[in-house]
Amino acid sequence: MCSLEIFPIYFRLSLSAVELSNNQIKTILGLVGNVDKFRNHLIELAKQKLPNGTTQARVFLEQLENSTEEEIPVNYIPSVVEALFDVSEELVSQDDESKGILDFDNEVIISRCISRLLFQIDEISRFELLKKIILQGKALPIINHEIATLKEQQSQYDAEESNYEEGLLVNAQHLKELEELTYQNSGKK
C-alpha cells in the first residue's frame, strides 16, 4: 500500500526540483564561449534556492562534476576553470554545506570539478592557468584549498616511481612555484 502523500510521485514524468534537465545543462555549458555570461549565470544559479534549502548552483556543480569530456570543448576549459575560481566565493553558500557524512560542501565539489577539467589539458597549460589565477588574487580560499589538495596528492606518490608525475595535476617544481605565489599573494590581501 502506498501513502497518499507520495502516491503522485509514482506517476510523475518530470525531473525532481533538485535536478537540471539535459537541455538546461547544455544551455549553461553553451555559455562557456562567453566567460562573462557563464560567470554571471553561475552567480544567478547561486541565488536560486530550492525547496530542500540548497541552491541551483550546487545542483549544477554536481552535474558538472559528472559531465563527460565531450560536453566542454578542450579550448574552453581554461575559461571554465577561471570562471569557477572567479565566482567560487559566491558559490560557497551556507545553505549548500554538507548535511550528511557522504555529502561534500561546494568548495570540495568546485575543487573536484576544477581538477577534473584541468586533467584534460597538458601539465604546462595547467600550471600556467593556475599561476594566472593565483596572480589575479581572486578566490583565495579555493586557491588555498586547491594548493592543499595538490600537496596531498604529491605526498601520496612515491618519488621513486618512474612515471609518478603523470598522475599529478602539476609536477613538484610547479607546485613549489604555485605555493610561493599563493603565499606572496595572501600576504598582499
Side-chain angles (χ1 to χ4, degrees):
M1 186 125 184
C2 178
S3 165
L4 289 177
E5 296 167 11
I6 61 171
F7 185 79
I9 293 172
Y10 290 106
F11 298 100
R12 188 180 69 198
L13 296 175
S14 63
L15 297 169
S16 77
V18 294
E19 295 178 72
L20 295 171
S21 71
N22 285 339
N23 284 340
Q24 288 172 302
I25 296 292
K26 285 180 183 177
T27 299
I28 296 167
L29 292 178
L31 298 173
V32 299
N34 184 325
V35 181
D36 290 331
K37 282 186 179 181
F38 180 67
R39 189 181 302 123
N40 291 335
H41 196 76
L42 290 176
I43 293 169
E44 285 304 311
L45 290 175
K47 295 175 185 176
Q48 297 173 14
K49 302 283 185 210
L50 298 171
N52 68 356
T54 63
T55 66
Q56 282 282 23
R58 180 180 180 90
V59 174
F60 174 73
L61 290 170
E62 288 172 345
Q63 289 181 266
L64 178 64
E65 183 181 11
N66 296 318
S67 66
T68 63
E69 292 179 12
E70 296 81 37
E71 291 178 293
I72 299 175
V74 174
N75 56 321
Y76 289 125
I77 288 175
S79 300
V80 173
V81 169
E82 197 169 337
L84 286 171
F85 271 106
D86 284 352
V87 300
S88 64
E89 290 180 24
E90 287 96 339
L91 300 180
V92 177
S93 164
Q94 298 289 56
D95 296 330
D96 288 335
E97 283 187 10
S98 61
K99 300 195 179 5
I101 194 162
L102 298 176
D103 245 355
F104 297 105
D105 60 23
N106 282 6
E107 186 175 61
V108 171
I109 296 170
I110 292 167
S111 180
R112 290 180 2 183
C113 287
I114 289 169
S115 293
R116 185 164 181 196
L117 290 166
L118 287 175
F119 267 117
Q120 295 177 46
I121 58 179
D122 64 85
E123 194 273 343
I124 298 289
S125 298
R126 293 190 292 253
F127 167 69
E128 291 298 329
L129 178 58
L130 290 170
K131 183 176 166 182
K132 175 184 174 186
I133 290 166
I134 290 168
L135 289 172
Q136 290 173 350
K138 299 177 188 173
L140 286 176
I142 198 83
I143 288 170
N144 288 330
H145 184 273
E146 197 65 28
I147 295 295
T149 301
L150 292 171
K151 285 174 67 172
E152 182 181 321
Q153 182 188 57
Q154 289 212 357
S155 70
Q156 291 177 355
Y157 281 88
D158 180 16
E160 303 288 320
E161 291 181 38
S162 60
N163 64 346
Y164 86 101
E165 286 188 347
E166 287 178 22
L168 299 175
L169 204 52
V170 293
N171 66 39
Q173 179 59 40
H174 285 160
L175 176 58
K176 185 177 178 186
E177 288 180 51
L178 293 174
E179 281 183 281
E180 289 170 5
L181 284 172
T182 302
Y183 178 73
Q184 290 169 6
N185 268 11
S186 62
K188 293 177 186 176
K189 299 285 174 186

